[in-house]
Amino acid sequence: MIIVMKAGASKHDRDEVLKRIKELGYKPHVIHGTTRDVIGAVGDERGKLVLQSIESMHGVESVVPILQPYKLASKEVKKEPSLIRLSDTVSIGGKEIIVMAGPCSVEGEAQIIETAQAVKEAGARVLRGGAFKPRTSPYSFQGLEEEGLKFLAKARAITGLPIVTEVINPETVELVAEYADILQIGARNAQNFALLKKVGQIRKPVLLKRGMSMTIQEFLMSAEYVMSEGNQNVILCERGIRTFETATRNTLDLSAIPVLKEKTHLPVIADPSHGTGNYHYVAAMAFAAVAAGADGLIIEVHPDPERASSDGPQSLKPKKFDTMMTKLRLIAGAVDRTI
Ligand code: PEP
Ligand code: MN
């Protein structure tokens, strides 16, 4: 249920409502609006009608049901887009398209620093790099783990770019959160509910990738898992889904972008690197994603893709990334965005 407070409701009115929601066995989430607050009361759907009694409390305008199964992620609760702060100078969800770039895996100090400097120079605002890698094969490179996190932190210290890096299990969430500015949940973990709950308890933005065979509704339900634990800072990432097509690694579902933008206030980004699996197609799909309304992109860039430990075939060399960024600025301008 959504409890809509009156425009002039006092803090005392709001606190009384929060208390009552808890007494009734529900979890309140305050969403601050420009003119008034709304409070999402989430919990067991079956008994939710008891919340209707809150309508008679002081300062309350109305109590209305949230129709979608995802509540806090829904536009029903918050109409205006969420702006998520990634660092002192970088936020996502506003007019600026935020490009995150870097290698699939952190392979060494020199590699990540060189890449960070190159992507920054080209206009990226966030550095990506996996230190814990969820690989399909147990025999593939699994990442440098904490050493990789340290190299990322060093690259951040040199370039000032905030870092996004993947966390693959609940046990390492605290460790990764010590270093990362944004916690990435990969496609293979998009319905790892224990992990989603754990990152929901951390106060760092979460970049949630769409699972390979997830519907849009399931994707939003995964975001809801994070948000229902108290972390509202979720960025959704369309990274391609499994279809019958084999010419590309995945099928980047561009239509998911406008659909998500209609259903949720959360920022939506696209990953054309995993979405296509081939560096030849990355720029075209990056342009298309921005034209379709994406708030950002995440792109794999490697100084020497032929020798990359993972995902070399889909990684752009810094020069190609720079060329892509130049053209991307034109596309962004055409849809009234900046880079
Ligand atoms: C990655 O970003 O390198 C990655 C493993 O992505 P995904 O989870 O989308 O496959
Ligand atoms: Mn990758």
Side-chain angles (χ1 to χ4, degrees), residues 102-105 128 130 133-135 166 184 188 209 239 249 271 273-274 300 310-312 314-315:
C104 178
S105 310
R128 68 147 287 151
K133 296 303 300 178
R135 306 304 301 280
E166 182 161 353
Q184 178 176 327
R188 289 157 193 79
K209 290 197 155 193
R239 51 76 74 201
R249 182 178 177 186
D271 175 347
S273 307
H274 294 86
E300 287 186 341
S310 58
D311 287 349
Q314 67 193 34
S315 300

Side-chain angles (χ1 to χ4, degrees), residues 67-70 191 210 214-224 259-260 263:
L67 300 175
Q68 297 293 352
Y70 44 89
Q191 284 183 311
R210 182 180 182 181
M214 258 188 177
T215 63
I216 288 173
Q217 178 153 314
E218 286 164 343
F219 189 17
L220 288 166
M221 293 308 286
S222 287
E224 192 74 17
V259 173
L260 286 167
K263 293 185 181 301

